[in-house]
Amino acid sequence: MSIKGYKNAFSGIEPSKELHDSLLYAVLEEENNMKMEDRGRKQTKRSRRNRHVRPRLIAACAAVMILCVSMTAAAAFDFNDIFQGFFKKEVAAQEGGNQAPAVPLEAGNDFLASAGNVIHEETTGNGLKLTLRGTVGDGNVLYAALDVETMDGSPFTTEQKGSVQSYRFEEVMLEGEGIGGGELNRIYCGLERIDDGSVPGRATFLMSEMFENDMKCKEIKMSLRNLMAESNEIIDLGMDKTIWELMQEFEPLKIREARENAGLIVNSYSTEEDAEGNVNAHESFMVEKTDKRIAFSSKYPEARISNMGIYKGQYEDNLIVNLDFGGEFDWDLLDQKRLIVVDRRTGQVLDDSAGAAAIGNGAEEDYFPGMEGQADIVGDDYLSCRYCFNDIGESKVKNAVFALGGDGSYEELFGGEWTLSFTVDYEDTMKTWELQEKTAVGNMEIKKVQISPVSAIVEYDTLSDEKAEFEDVSLKLKNGSQVGWSAMSWDTDDKGVSPCRIIWKSVVELDEIESVIVNGTEIKL
């Protein structure tokens, strides 16, 4: 039941005269029976107190207490308390001024009351207590608020370092019918910390996840592993040779020919903008393993390098490394503490933006032709991975070594696994606009828009073979303010196009919507 339904169910409830008289009669009759029995027994006063507690009296008192507590909780409940004021709304800007900052929703907001579901599911273990306090959903996106606290009330760390947002779980997985849109019925997601850190040893995390299927009344299991904290520590691997010296053990790199990449196996392509607005492009490459296995670290003596070298790419030089795991040197370690390149003379980090990838389970046959038999994954186990370090050429590796950590690396605070199960519930808050006249936006034709106070679904057809690209989607409100997006997701494949799913930056009053703006094109609603 949503919190609105819960409040409505108890709103204005008062015990009837019959119920009142029945409860009062039960209490008085029980008291009279106790007095009669006391007079017929020669027992001490203390003994009588301990023995004469009747189930009927307990039930009568419990009925009154439950009714009163339920009425009080329903009347005083504020869903924003659970989400720490996370949900906000836009306000009209002052005339001639900039857009005003969003403000928290008022207590008892109608949307939160409709879309919210109180849960209070708890689990304890490994020094922590986790409490899933509630969810907010609309059939497209689901929010969940999770409290995490130490069981003894102590701080997470002896000295809290960095911002409160530096804490995260290493892995969060959701399982249940309809999750992920595939046969596995599971997805991995993230949690964002939303409290201010004012209570030592306690944090509130928020999950926000879009689903292809409506999850109303579905059972979901949330599994979490290892609570981590951000650390900037750099860990020396104990290398007695430089990267340049290790490279001499291998032949110059031979990039295998791929299907469409002119002789390159491109794993990914990305761009970034610097402070001056200059856009830098990066390509990440993969190469085959060799028969060699060269140890490189005294700290992790079972780890091996199976190929490495410099490739002069279109945009920059790239250091490419194939690593084989061994002992404690595994995927989990490299997920917590990244592999970085450091100048051994100065300690300066030369690059910490490496792209790591693993292939396996037949993926190489589809995406990397010619790399069959090079699998990095067997079953659920990672055996190795491949790194491409951007902008690392021969001059930099002459005096460079590998290290672990640096900015963005994590330390394990509480190791272990925790599981919570809950049922999703909310009232449908989506409003649909079927566009009588379809609007062309680039190579797309917008045909249907569904909007809730927190998200939207945009359905479209493509007008050419080019893939759909949603650069920006926002709402224009009647008061002149605009609401932008915080997350977008869409896909195109051989079977057609999937809708674009959007999460808004703030909560929207549906009656206040004037239009939706897609890639700069305004569509009146």
Side-chain angles (χ1 to χ4, degrees):
M1 178 185 292
S2 71
I3 185 58
K4 185 177 182 180
Y6 173 76
K7 293 167 83 172
N8 289 341
F10 286 99
S11 177
I13 289 181
E14 294 183 6
S16 66
K17 186 177 186 303
E18 290 78 13
L19 176 58
H20 177 276
D21 292 344
S22 175
L23 293 173
L24 183 59
Y25 174 80
V27 173
L28 293 176
E29 182 184 30
E30 192 65 23
E31 183 180 1
N32 184 57
N33 289 338
M34 289 175 64
K35 290 179 179 179
M36 292 177 63
E37 291 179 12
D38 285 347
R39 284 194 292 267
R41 296 183 180 183
K42 294 181 180 180
Q43 295 176 322
T44 65
K45 187 176 182 181
R46 179 174 181 179
S47 176
R48 286 197 298 272
R49 283 181 179 172
N50 288 341
R51 299 170 68 91
H52 292 267
V53 181
R54 298 302 184 95
R56 186 169 53 181
L57 179 59
I58 293 174
C61 294
V64 175
M65 291 175 63
I66 289 172
L67 187 59
C68 294
V69 169
S70 298
M71 293 170 63
T72 303
F77 190 83
D78 178 6
F79 216 74
N80 251 355
D81 287 345
I82 288 182
F83 287 88
Q84 301 286 319
F86 170 80
F87 292 103
K88 295 178 171 60
K89 65 178 180 180
E90 304 289 339
V91 295
Q94 299 294 327
E95 186 175 350
N98 297 324
Q99 178 72 49
V103 298
L105 296 182
E106 66 279 3
N109 176 269
D110 189 61
F111 162 69
L112 292 183
S114 297
N117 180 27
V118 182
I119 296 174
H120 204 80
E121 173 73 16
E122 292 185 358
T123 186
T124 58
N126 307 302
L128 293 179
K129 181 173 101 170
L130 278 64
T131 306
L132 191 68
R133 298 180 61 199
T135 63
V136 169
D138 67 349
N140 180 42
V141 62
L142 181 67
Y143 296 92
L146 177 73
D147 282 351
V148 179
E149 52 192 316
T150 55
M151 294 179 66
D152 60 3
S154 62
F156 290 122
T157 58
T158 54
E159 277 185 45
Q160 187 165 331
K161 300 177 182 178
S163 70
V164 294
Q165 280 73 34
S166 66
Y167 296 87
R168 72 175 179 94
F169 283 92
E170 186 171 14
E171 181 179 284
V172 182
M173 184 173 67
L174 301 180
E175 296 180 89
E177 180 185 353
I179 290 181
E183 296 180 358
L184 293 177
N185 287 321
R186 69 184 185 189
I187 59 172
Y188 292 95
C189 66
L191 298 177
E192 173 191 1
R193 188 173 180 184
I194 60 173
D195 68 298
D196 60 7
S198 58
V199 181
R202 181 171 181 173
T204 299
F205 291 88
L206 175 76
M207 180 199 81
S208 60
E209 192 67 35
M210 288 184 284
F211 295 96
E212 295 180 12
N213 302 303
D214 189 345
M215 301 306 297
K216 182 177 174 65
C217 299
K218 299 289 183 64
E219 184 81 11
I220 291 181
K221 183 173 77 171
M222 176 188 288
S223 302
L224 307 99
R225 184 165 67 90
N226 299 343
L227 181 63
M228 318 290 291
E230 190 172 347
S231 169
N232 298 322
E233 181 185 7
I234 294 178
I235 299 175
D236 182 13
L237 292 179
M239 292 177 59
D240 58 3
K241 292 183 179 180
T242 65
I243 293 175
W244 174 257
E245 291 170 332
L246 288 172
M247 280 175 49
Q248 309 313 306
E249 303 286 338
F250 298 95
E251 297 292 328
L253 290 183
K254 295 179 181 179
I255 308 297
R256 283 221 183 232
E257 184 174 354
R259 188 175 296 158
E260 300 175 350
N261 294 316
L264 306 178
I265 297 176
V266 181
N267 177 48
S268 66
Y269 174 84
S270 63
T271 59
E272 62 182 11
E273 186 174 331
D274 61 23
E276 298 177 354
N278 300 313
V279 177
N280 300 314
H282 304 290
E283 287 178 308
S284 180
F285 303 102
M286 296 172 66
V287 295
E288 65 180 343
K289 298 178 183 179
T290 68
D291 294 332
K292 292 184 178 181
R293 298 291 184 272
I294 298 177
F296 64 97
S297 167
S298 61
K299 185 175 180 63
Y300 299 100
E302 297 178 53
R304 297 290 187 271
I305 295 176
S306 63
N307 202 355
M308 68 184 304
I310 301 292
Y311 180 78
K312 298 183 182 297
Q314 179 180 356
Y315 302 102
E316 60 201 354
D317 291 350
N318 301 275
L319 171 62
I320 302 174
V321 185
N322 288 351
L323 292 177
D324 281 13
F325 299 140
E328 295 180 0
F329 192 89
D330 57 14
W331 185 270
D332 286 341
L333 174 67
L334 293 178
D335 184 51
Q336 296 173 9
K337 299 175 175 59
R338 296 183 296 171
L339 189 72
I340 57 178
V341 178
V342 177
D343 188 310
R344 68 174 180 178
R345 300 167 302 177
T346 64
Q348 177 188 1
V349 177
L350 302 179
D351 189 287
D352 61 357
S353 60
I359 61 173
N361 296 331
E364 65 274 17
E365 297 177 9
D366 296 326
Y367 298 107
F368 309 110
M371 296 189 71
E372 293 82 357
Q374 294 280 314
D376 295 339
I377 308 170
V378 176
D380 293 329
D381 296 325
Y382 291 92
L383 304 178
S384 59
C385 67
R386 294 130 194 266
Y387 275 84
C388 180
F389 292 90
N390 301 320
D391 196 23
I392 297 290
E394 291 183 0
S395 61
K396 289 187 177 180
V397 299
K398 288 290 179 74
N399 293 288
V401 293
F402 292 120
L404 295 178
D407 292 344
S409 61
Y410 284 81
E411 294 287 344
E412 183 179 292
L413 295 180
F414 292 84
E417 297 184 5
W418 300 268
T419 300
L420 296 153
S421 296
F422 60 98
T423 301
V424 178
D425 192 16
Y426 45 78
E427 294 182 21
D428 186 7
T429 57
M430 278 280 186
K431 184 176 180 180
T432 301
W433 284 267
E434 297 275 2
L435 303 182
Q436 300 301 319
E437 295 184 6
K438 298 179 181 179
T439 302
V441 178
N443 72 319
M444 300 179 293
E445 192 173 59
I446 310 301
K447 60 182 182 179
K448 182 179 178 181
V449 180
Q450 295 174 271
I451 303 175
S452 87
V454 290
S455 78
I457 303 174
V458 177
E459 296 186 20
Y460 60 95
D461 293 321
T462 54
L463 303 176
S464 67
D465 293 335
E466 296 180 13
K467 289 187 176 182
E469 291 291 339
F470 286 86
E471 298 175 359
D472 185 56
V473 179
S474 62
L475 293 176
K476 183 178 178 181
L477 305 183
K478 294 176 182 177
N479 65 10
S481 62
Q482 289 192 13
V483 178
W485 60 274
S486 65
M488 281 197 294
S489 174
W490 74 96
D491 196 11
T492 57
D493 53 34
D494 296 337
K495 299 178 182 179
V497 297
S498 64
C500 176
R501 298 178 182 273
I502 301 148
I503 300 178
W504 303 123
K505 283 185 176 179
S506 55
V507 177
V508 181
E509 295 285 349
L510 298 186
D511 293 339
E512 295 300 314
I513 298 174
E514 183 174 292
S515 59
V516 59
I517 304 172
V518 180
N519 293 355
T521 299
E522 184 174 354
I523 304 171
K524 294 289 185 179
L525 298 176

